[in-house]
Amino acid sequence: MEIYSAEEAGVMIISVKGRLDAASAGGLEGEVRRQVDAGSRRLVLDLTDLTYVSSAGIRVFLLAARQLRGLGTLLLAAPSPMVRQVFDIAGVDAFVDVCETTAAAVDRLRS
């Protein structure tokens, strides 16, 4: 898995590429923690290039949302149809908002 971070309009975008599973979940969890510790309060996880997510990956999303609760906002953006299906089965939408595109997520957090 590859992780890239960039700021756009005051929103921290963390892009995830590849497979998010038990072996790679710690890397994403650490990056989210670093960004929050550095003061980022509006985060978008760009999932455009995420090809697979396991329950360990979903756990990272839920922990990140909990970490930002009361401090800021986390949005998930642009999941592939396969990843979106996993989200639907796991009920991720009940805990974290999912936007269809990264641009829509950034726009939502800018306002």
Side-chain angles (χ1 to χ4, degrees):
M1 181 183 70
E2 297 174 40
I3 302 170
Y4 306 97
S5 298
E7 188 172 345
E8 180 182 324
V11 176
M12 182 56 64
I13 301 169
I14 302 173
S15 300
V16 183
K17 182 177 182 178
R19 297 174 54 88
L20 181 56
D21 54 23
S24 60
L28 180 58
E29 186 175 348
E31 180 61 19
V32 169
R33 185 174 300 122
R34 277 188 291 282
Q35 295 300 338
V36 172
D37 289 349
S40 295
R41 296 296 178 254
R42 296 179 290 169
L43 273 70
V44 171
L45 294 182
D46 177 1
L47 309 178
T48 303
D49 295 318
L50 184 66
T51 58
Y52 172 83
V53 63
S54 72
S55 59
I58 290 175
R59 178 183 167 277
V60 172
F61 300 147
L62 300 180
L63 287 174
R66 183 199 285 168
Q67 184 178 10
L68 277 165
R69 189 175 300 137
L71 296 174
T73 305
L74 171 74
L75 298 177
L76 304 179
S80 69
M82 184 178 70
V83 170
R84 182 66 189 191
Q85 184 178 18
V86 172
F87 285 0
D88 292 344
I89 291 168
V92 170
D93 287 10
F95 302 98
V96 183
D97 288 339
V98 181
C99 296
E100 291 302 313
T101 67
T102 302
V106 170
D107 285 347
R108 184 168 161 190
L109 290 180
R110 274 199 303 213
S111 33

